[in-house]
Amino acid sequence: MSEWTTITGVLILVAGVICFILAILLFNFGFLWLRAWMSGAPVGFFNLVGMWVRRIPGKLIVDSRVAAVRSGLDVSTAQLESHYLAGGNVMETVRALIA
């Protein structure tokens, strides 16, 4: 085998692995990101990945943020994440703020 064939094979393998990782990330967080964006309460894609790393349920934060924004409350994802990490009940707190 020539050197060119080996380099090409390695590049194709690396590109395939990168595409596979991106597809998994898009599948796991893409729908949640799209739902938040379509609801008018955008949450950054990399914020969702960061929540996953910190073991914060992204669905809970997105649902709470959507409910708050639709009710006219200005609540950031960082505030909701902090409340969750402090042991608070995020959805009940947002419902109480709405009431």
Side-chain angles (χ1 to χ4, degrees):
M1 272 182 16
S2 71
E3 184 178 326
W4 177 252
T5 307
T6 305
I7 292 173
T8 305
V10 170
L11 289 176
I12 290 173
L13 180 65
V14 168
V17 168
I18 289 172
C19 287
F20 181 72
I21 291 171
L22 288 176
I24 288 176
L25 286 174
L26 191 60
F27 182 74
N28 283 339
F29 306 112
F31 296 115
L32 196 56
W33 174 82
L34 185 63
R35 189 171 77 206
W37 182 71
M38 294 291 285
S39 298
V43 177
F45 185 80
F46 292 109
N47 284 349
L48 291 171
V49 174
M51 285 183 222
W52 176 72
V53 169
R54 291 186 298 273
R55 300 197 185 271
I56 298 172
K59 184 179 182 321
L60 174 69
I61 300 300
V62 168
D63 290 345
S64 300
R65 178 156 162 72
V66 167
V69 168
R70 284 191 173 185
S71 299
L73 298 174
D74 185 27
V75 179
S76 70
T77 56
Q79 291 171 327
L80 296 172
E81 288 178 47
S82 297
H83 187 63
Y84 177 82
L85 290 173
N89 189 332
V90 176
M91 188 54 89
E92 290 299 318
T93 302
V94 169
R95 287 181 186 155
L97 288 170
I98 292 170

